[in-house]
Amino acid sequence: MQLREFVRRLDVVDRFVSGGVSPAVDVKVVFDCLFGGGRPVAGHEVYCSREEFFSVTYPTAGMVRWLSVLFGVLAGRPGKNVFVLPAYLGAGKSHFLAFVLHVAALYRECRGVGQCVVKELKRYGIDVELPDLEGDLRVVLFHGGYASSPPWGSGVPTKDLLRGELVGRGPVLYLFDEAGMFDNRFGAQFADYMQLLSEVFVEAGPGKALVVSYSLASGQYSPPSLERLRRVDPLIIEMDAVRNIVHIVRRWAGIDKVPPYREFRDLVGVVPEDKVKEFHGKVAETYPFNPVALETLLLLAEESLVKASRIQLTRGLLQSALKALKSAVERGGGLVVHGDLPEPGEVVEPPPEFSKFWSSILGLYRKDEEAAGDDFVLRSVLRHVIYRSFVGRLMPRSGIYPDEAALILGNYDVVLGALPVSNAVRRLGDFRVQKTAGGYVYLPLPDEYEALAKALVYVSEEEGAKAVHDEVEQLVKSVAKRFKRVAVLGWKEGKAEGVSSFDDAKKAADYVGERDFSALLVDLRGTAQVPRRNNLFVVRAREGAVPGDVKEFLGKVAVPPDKLSGALYMLGRVKVAVDRVAEDLESYFPDIVQVEDRALRQALEDGVKVRLERIKEVARSYIRRYVEKWLDEVLLGRRISASGGLEYLAKYLGSSKPEAVIEWALGRAQVFVKIGDLWDQWLNNDDAPPYPLSFDDFVEGLLRRCREDCNCVVREGGEYQWISEGGGCFYELRDPRNSEVALAYVEGSVNESVVEQFLTYLDSRGSVEFTYQRLGGEEVRRSLADVLREREDWMYLKHAKYRIEKRKKRLDVKVNGVVTSLAEVNPGDEVVIAVESDEKISRVIWEFAGVQHETTVNDVFFQFKVRVGEDPQYVVKIVAEFADGSVVERSVVLNVRVRRRREVSTAVVNVGDVVVAVSASSAAEAVRLLERLKEDIVEVVEVRAIEASEDLNLRLEFRGRRGHLQQARRLIKAVEPVTQNVGVTVKFKEPVTVDKSLLESLGKGALLWTKIVEE
């Protein structure tokens, strides 16, 4: 609903705004019209006409109350009768006095009857209780603006003279408007006069009233006469017009009803719901104003801003409000929003200390306003920000600066809707408005480009190149997931998500050079040498001209380079410079640090950082946009060379599929070919389609296609895979690279050689019976022998099933060359065990002495060795696996022979023999033996001597005491003259192993040894 439907007095509004109605009421003119028969001067017709004046006057509660009090005093009611009306210029004092004069004129017409006056006022919607007045009301007006002579005339005023003006008369009303001007003209005389006059009125009491108005100015000054009036303790009349400005505007505009707005549903979801409800609740109170716009207008009219704004309380506020209302009506609006408020330059008049601040932000605003053009909503949002920026600077308080929600609500017009306002707020980033933690604000920010130019001097080209490298990494990520390896050759080393970076060309080439991995190389330097292959894609830099917008941008901080690469590096340097400036604002913006207001300083710092970040984002966007133009050359696989860079690459990847590679490879498998060879052929063939395919993906894709079509026969290690026993195809590769593949059908015809090899392989596994359907649905059962003969049925085999009756496997186990499951062996023997079959054994697993071993065989024969110990029995468990998955188990028992030890006497010993004793049978041999043995190995020496006549029979033992060998020798020498029949036996402490030295020293004599033998 448009405002024009509810504004009934648009003509009055037009007259007021255009100057046809004076915004300031001249009480003298009104007095002359009502009581002196004068004619209204231009602009005062409304104020002099009772009909028009009461029609545009909204009776505030304060006005009604003070009117009732004043005329009650004039009617003789007890109470104070001196009234003082001090207020700032434009607060509504004169309008109130004009109101009093019109009521006084009504009393004259009604001959003092109060109900007559009340009835007439009710015609205009003014409801007030007024008393009757006895006698004719005499009204006297003195106006400071017309103070050519003093109020007391010539001579010196006295109380008696003044009393004479009051005594014996009916009700008397003295009005002084702009009394301060009398102070200015007549000085202390006027102050003395007012003191006398007020005292006379107090003495006169009810029936007589004195009303004096003063226009105050900001500051501490108070007119002398006002101070004298305070001595009689007057009633102070307080104006409440500002609080009722909405009703005053409605009265002037003839708005007597408010549209019944429902909930503003278009705001829901754009602004928090609680704020929408609050806004909706206020509109009925503030109509025709948007509640937030009215708040801004009232802030400008606050007394604390009286020196800084031309919106001087009621008068200026009413003028600005009606002007805004007219603007809203003319544009067809439904509410008065910020865009309807007067232009800031017309309203704001900053004090000297804020003039520089105001001119700075006003200049920013005007540039933005010009850039906004005819976009009313955007201009409205900007005007909202500029007004709040000014008020917030002069009256810092919470919530002054608007956030997004406040901007949307403050410029919401029911006719325009929420969407245009929301879009306008989103566009603020393109203008000079700063978004701070406290809200959106205009700030007199320093030139950030000048600071960047200083910082740029200390940023190297390599640092700029690294910044470009970083952006390239981010761009490359969009296609990186299609490759196993992605390398960027530039100015840094490192690993980002999905991208590896190198500053060395050889390292980069080596990284992408692994043939089994798909790879993308982004070569910023253009120096990498890599052989082309069909799973390697290369994007290279190509020099070009610098775009105009980049030149313009870089020209703000330095002389732009001539080449695109240099421009990109400089953009990277700008990014780095922004970070350095943001981290050291004190050095680059010393003026900010000197701002004493902490809140403003923080806002300035935040604003600078926001603008710096915006510049950084512009640099980043240019890098991203033009690095793709720079990275123009594209090499795809072996043969494709193109322009278009990463964009071309992305389109190619989006349109190509790996299935084309698989089709190309299988087309070369009409005979058995190793998968690894097919892979190599595709990698290096100029006619093959390029694609980022790795070997594992190639194998997976090939097998997937083989399963889908059931058209591949795979051969691995003499085994074949194609159709499975239960139907369908089965492929499981142990060594994909060396596995061979061939097509079972080529262009719809049976590849007989390949199919025949598969059938022959099945025949080797056992008795096979096939089941398949011929064309027409006939089910056929055939033995493998029949199938081999009936080649015309081979075309149906891909959908066949078969059953194999496996032959029993023969497996012989040999121990030391003899087929047996039980063998006797000696302790410590190394035993050779062999397994042998008439079919190839794929794997042998054997277990011996608790340890399991495993070996891949792929042969019909295999042998291994085990060594037995001292245990009486060992079991060797053997498992043989065959190519068809069958398993045969065998066990071999090895019994170990038990060894018996006994002692034997012998005259001959050899190195290694173990002996426990040695004997000599003559005295000479006995002495020689004892001389050559070491004492520490001998346990017992037994000496025997027998004479033939048996007169001597001697038997002595010498045990391991020190010197016992020497004692035994002495004994033998002592009896030697008597008899030669002397024998000696030496027993060792431990069995002694005969070594070469022992044998050489004792072996030539006639000795008898006691040796240990095992059987």
Side-chain angles (χ1 to χ4, degrees):
M1 291 174 278
Q2 294 186 3
L3 279 167
R4 67 175 67 253
E5 301 174 33
F6 298 89
V7 178
R8 293 187 297 103
R9 295 197 189 102
L10 186 58
D11 59 329
V12 176
V13 174
D14 284 339
R15 284 168 55 199
F16 193 102
V17 171
S18 62
V21 175
S22 172
V25 180
D26 190 328
V27 178
K28 177 70 166 57
V29 172
V30 176
F31 179 82
D32 290 344
C33 289
L34 297 179
F35 297 98
R39 297 179 61 81
V41 300
H44 272 68
E45 293 84 355
V46 169
Y47 304 121
C48 289
S49 165
R50 178 189 303 167
E51 178 100 13
E52 288 195 74
F53 181 80
F54 284 141
S55 296
V56 300
T57 298
Y58 174 75
T60 70
M63 290 173 66
V64 170
R65 172 175 174 269
W66 287 113
L67 190 72
S68 179
V69 170
L70 175 61
F71 281 94
V73 169
L74 291 172
R77 292 175 185 170
K80 297 179 180 180
N81 63 346
V82 177
F83 300 83
V84 174
L85 180 54
Y88 285 102
L89 189 67
K93 304 180 305 297
S94 297
H95 196 102
F96 175 71
L97 294 178
F99 186 44
V100 170
L101 289 175
H102 273 284
V103 173
L106 273 176
Y107 263 107
R108 279 193 173 185
E109 291 183 15
C110 291
R111 299 183 183 275
V113 178
Q115 285 301 313
C116 173
V117 178
V118 169
K119 182 178 179 181
E120 180 65 13
L121 290 175
K122 282 186 176 179
R123 286 183 56 229
Y124 304 101
I126 301 173
D127 192 3
V128 59
E129 291 296 326
L130 293 172
D132 295 335
L133 298 181
E134 293 185 5
D136 292 336
L137 173 64
R138 185 164 71 94
V139 180
V140 179
L141 173 71
F142 298 97
H143 195 294
Y146 297 88
S148 58
S149 60
W152 58 85
S154 59
V156 178
T158 64
K159 275 193 176 183
D160 291 338
L161 181 64
L162 296 175
R163 289 190 187 104
E165 295 291 323
L166 302 180
V167 176
R169 298 177 182 271
V172 177
L173 174 62
Y174 268 41
L175 298 176
F176 281 80
D177 191 19
E178 301 295 346
M181 292 186 178
F182 288 107
D183 280 288
N184 294 337
R185 178 148 187 163
F186 302 108
Q189 285 183 298
F190 179 71
D192 293 340
Y193 167 74
M194 289 305 291
Q195 180 175 341
L196 291 174
L197 184 65
S198 62
E199 291 172 353
V200 168
F201 267 90
V202 171
E203 291 173 1
K208 312 294 186 293
L210 172 63
V211 179
V212 186
S213 83
Y214 291 91
S215 290
L216 303 179
S218 60
Q220 301 299 319
Y221 173 75
S222 180
S225 61
L226 176 58
E227 295 304 314
R228 299 291 184 90
L229 288 173
R230 295 187 193 279
R231 295 178 182 181
V232 298
D233 191 21
L235 289 173
I236 306 298
I237 298 176
E238 295 180 350
M239 303 307 300
D240 60 350
V242 172
R243 294 194 295 273
N244 291 278
I245 191 62
V246 170
H247 297 288
I248 293 171
V249 169
R250 288 178 184 175
R251 188 83 169 184
W252 276 90
I255 300 173
D256 51 17
K257 62 179 180 179
V258 176
Y261 289 121
R262 296 182 179 180
E263 294 182 5
F264 303 119
R265 295 180 180 176
D266 56 338
L267 282 171
V268 177
V270 180
V271 175
E273 190 172 352
D274 58 330
K275 293 186 180 293
V276 176
K277 289 182 178 178
E278 180 184 0
F279 180 83
H280 179 263
K282 288 181 177 180
V283 168
E285 301 173 6
T286 64
Y287 186 84
F289 295 94
N290 173 298
V292 184
L294 178 64
E295 180 185 335
T296 299
L297 194 61
L298 293 177
L299 283 170
L300 292 167
E302 283 201 17
E303 291 187 6
S304 57
L305 289 182
V306 71
K307 285 183 64 178
S309 166
R310 297 189 182 98
I311 300 180
Q312 296 171 329
L313 303 177
T314 308
R315 182 193 307 166
L317 181 59
L318 177 62
Q319 188 175 19
S320 296
L322 290 177
K323 187 175 182 179
L325 177 61
K326 181 183 179 183
S327 170
V329 171
E330 289 177 346
R331 67 174 174 82
L335 288 173
V336 176
V337 295
H338 285 86
D340 299 309
L341 300 184
E343 205 277 330
E346 299 175 5
V347 173
V348 174
E349 197 172 85
E353 63 269 26
F354 292 112
S355 60
K356 183 178 180 181
F357 167 82
W358 173 245
S359 61
S360 296
I361 67 171
L362 186 61
L364 297 175
Y365 164 75
R366 284 176 174 161
K367 290 178 181 177
D368 282 350
E369 189 180 39
E370 183 180 352
D374 296 331
D375 189 332
F376 172 79
V377 176
L378 182 55
R379 290 164 67 98
S380 182
V381 172
L382 294 171
R383 191 163 293 186
H384 187 170
V385 177
I386 184 68
Y387 271 133
R388 291 301 183 103
S389 299
F390 173 70
V391 173
R393 181 69 181 93
L394 270 66
M395 294 192 309
R397 66 176 71 168
S398 175
I400 285 289
Y401 303 125
D403 58 12
E404 285 89 347
L407 287 174
I408 293 172
L409 292 174
N411 298 281
Y412 174 77
D413 184 344
V414 291
V415 173
L416 297 174
L419 184 59
V421 190
S422 177
N423 290 337
V425 173
R426 278 198 291 268
R427 289 183 58 192
L428 286 180
D430 300 330
F431 293 84
R432 292 162 178 81
V433 174
Q434 304 302 316
K435 182 179 181 180
T436 69
Y440 287 88
V441 63
Y442 274 107
L443 293 172
L445 299 178
D447 187 350
E448 60 277 6
Y449 286 103
E450 183 179 339
L452 285 176
K454 294 178 181 178
L456 200 64
V457 175
Y458 302 100
V459 180
S460 68
E461 184 169 294
E462 184 176 353
E463 290 177 287
K466 286 182 179 179
V468 173
H469 189 126
D470 291 339
E471 296 300 334
V472 171
E473 279 186 354
Q474 298 304 314
L475 286 170
V476 170
K477 285 181 181 180
S478 62
V479 294
K481 60 185 178 181
R482 304 292 291 273
F483 298 86
K484 292 292 185 184
R485 292 186 175 182
V486 178
V488 176
L489 172 58
W491 296 272
K492 57 179 282 192
E493 292 272 351
K495 178 77 175 175
E497 182 182 352
V499 181
S500 296
S501 292
F502 300 90
D503 60 5
D504 180 85
K506 185 177 185 308
K507 288 182 181 178
D510 290 344
Y511 181 70
V512 299
E514 175 55 57
R515 295 152 40 92
D516 282 353
F517 297 109
S518 59
L520 169 64
L521 173 62
V522 180
D523 188 357
L524 305 181
R525 293 188 166 187
T527 57
Q529 300 295 320
V530 288
R532 298 185 68 168
R533 64 178 194 273
N534 280 323
N535 69 345
L536 172 61
F537 292 10
V538 180
V539 179
R540 283 180 177 159
R542 182 180 287 167
E543 200 56 82
V546 181
D549 51 355
V550 175
K551 271 188 177 180
E552 181 181 356
F553 176 75
L554 291 177
K556 297 176 182 179
V557 292
V559 177
D562 296 329
K563 295 181 179 180
L564 180 56
S565 59
L568 289 171
Y569 301 156
M570 183 172 283
L571 288 169
R573 291 172 62 202
V574 170
K575 278 185 59 184
V576 177
V578 165
D579 292 337
R580 292 188 181 174
V581 172
E583 292 169 2
D584 190 12
L585 292 180
E586 183 174 349
S587 298
Y588 290 97
F589 300 103
D591 291 343
I592 293 180
V593 183
Q594 296 175 7
V595 175
E596 295 180 359
D597 187 323
R598 182 178 300 177
L600 177 60
R601 183 171 66 250
Q602 186 61 54
L604 287 169
E605 290 179 356
D606 291 344
V608 168
K609 288 180 179 178
V610 168
R611 294 182 71 83
L612 286 172
E613 189 60 33
R614 195 175 299 163
I615 293 173
K616 182 178 178 180
E617 188 54 43
V618 171
R620 182 184 292 117
S621 67
Y622 279 139
I623 292 173
R624 289 178 177 175
R625 187 191 314 171
Y626 291 112
V627 84
E628 293 198 38
K629 181 179 178 181
W630 182 48
L631 294 173
D632 183 60
E633 185 180 5
V634 185
L635 306 177
L636 307 183
R638 294 272 303 177
R639 60 184 174 86
I640 299 178
S641 297
S643 298
L646 292 171
E647 184 178 355
Y648 179 89
L649 174 60
K651 288 180 181 178
Y652 179 85
L653 294 175
S655 62
S656 58
K657 297 185 180 301
E659 288 78 10
V661 177
I662 303 304
E663 287 294 330
W664 187 93
L666 287 176
R668 283 148 182 78
Q670 297 183 18
V671 296
F672 281 104
V673 184
K674 287 184 178 181
I675 294 176
D677 292 343
L678 288 177
W679 170 252
D680 290 337
Q681 289 179 38
W682 170 70
L683 285 181
N684 300 302
N685 193 298
D686 290 347
D687 296 326
Y691 193 81
L693 204 62
S694 295
F695 179 71
D696 291 344
D697 299 327
F698 176 78
V699 173
E700 182 181 341
L702 187 144
L703 294 181
R704 182 169 55 249
R705 182 56 187 271
C706 288
R707 293 186 188 102
E708 290 171 356
D709 293 346
C710 205
N711 192 31
C712 303
V713 179
V714 173
R715 181 169 67 190
E716 187 176 32
E719 301 174 5
Y720 290 76
Q721 300 177 32
W722 182 24
I723 53 177
S724 61
E725 290 189 55
C729 298
F730 173 79
Y731 306 100
E732 186 175 273
L733 308 184
R734 293 188 298 274
D735 182 9
R737 195 176 300 275
N738 291 308
S739 298
E740 300 171 283
V741 63
L743 296 178
Y745 303 93
V746 177
E747 297 181 355
S749 300
V750 178
N751 193 352
E752 291 190 358
S753 172
V754 173
V755 174
E756 184 174 20
Q757 290 182 62
F758 174 76
L759 294 176
T760 303
Y761 165 72
L762 286 185
D763 186 48
S764 69
R765 295 179 58 196
S767 177
V768 182
E769 182 182 68
F770 273 91
T771 302
Y772 53 88
Q773 286 187 344
R774 289 177 174 158
L775 193 63
E778 176 191 2
E779 185 170 279
V780 178
R781 292 180 182 274
R782 290 285 186 272
S783 68
L784 179 56
D786 292 339
V787 171
L788 282 167
R789 286 193 301 273
E790 300 176 10
R791 293 180 175 241
E792 64 274 10
D793 278 3
W794 288 4
M795 64 182 298
Y796 308 119
L797 291 183
K798 71 160 60 178
H799 302 300
K801 299 179 182 178
Y802 60 86
R803 181 175 58 84
I804 298 179
E805 185 176 324
K806 298 180 180 179
R807 300 185 184 94
K808 189 174 182 180
K809 299 290 191 299
R810 176 182 69 81
L811 184 68
D812 294 332
V813 178
K814 297 179 179 179
V815 179
N816 292 333
V818 178
V819 177
T820 182
S821 60
L822 177 65
E824 287 193 356
V825 295
N826 293 319
D829 281 357
E830 185 176 71
V831 182
V832 178
I833 299 176
V835 291
E836 188 174 9
S837 177
D838 54 357
E839 295 186 29
K840 277 189 177 180
I841 305 168
S842 60
R843 185 170 60 148
V844 173
I845 302 170
W846 76 95
E847 183 180 324
F848 175 74
V851 179
Q852 191 177 82
H853 306 267
E854 179 179 330
T855 299
T856 300
V857 179
N858 290 326
D859 201 348
V860 297
F861 177 82
F862 176 70
Q863 71 176 26
F864 56 92
K865 297 177 181 179
V866 298
R867 186 177 293 279
V868 299
E870 300 290 338
D871 294 343
Q873 188 180 77
Y874 293 88
V875 177
V876 182
K877 296 179 180 179
I878 302 169
V879 178
E881 291 184 2
F882 293 86
D884 61 358
S886 60
V887 174
V888 177
E889 298 182 3
R890 295 282 188 269
S891 294
V892 175
V893 177
L894 302 176
N895 288 328
V896 181
R897 298 184 182 94
V898 178
R899 294 191 176 187
R900 296 180 178 84
R901 301 178 67 181
R902 64 187 181 87
E903 295 179 359
V904 297
S905 297
T906 178
V908 178
V909 293
N910 297 304
V911 173
D913 287 345
V914 178
V915 296
V916 296
V918 60
S919 301
S921 57
S922 68
E925 285 294 331
V927 171
R928 186 174 70 87
L929 174 62
L930 293 175
E931 286 177 344
R932 298 190 179 188
L933 287 176
K934 294 181 180 179
E935 190 175 85
D936 58 351
I937 67 172
V938 176
E939 176 69 21
V940 177
V941 179
E942 182 183 288
V943 180
R944 301 179 305 278
I946 302 174
E947 201 274 324
S949 62
E950 295 188 1
D951 290 337
L952 177 64
N953 188 350
L954 177 66
R955 184 183 183 87
L956 292 175
E957 284 187 2
F958 297 90
R959 290 190 172 271
R961 296 194 305 270
R962 188 172 183 180
H964 62 295
L965 292 184
Q966 186 177 3
Q967 292 173 359
R969 286 200 304 271
R970 289 175 182 169
L971 176 61
I972 294 171
K973 288 181 178 180
V975 298
E976 185 177 6
V978 178
T979 179
Q980 284 294 313
N981 192 14
V982 176
V984 64
T985 299
V986 177
K987 296 179 180 179
F988 302 121
K989 291 180 179 179
E990 298 289 344
V992 174
T993 301
V994 177
D995 58 16
K996 186 176 181 181
S997 62
L998 182 62
L999 194 60
E1000 289 177 351
S1001 62
L1002 300 178
K1004 296 179 181 179
L1007 301 176
L1008 184 65
W1009 299 83
T1010 302
K1011 182 173 72 170
I1012 297 175
V1013 296
E1014 292 182 349
E1015 296 177 345

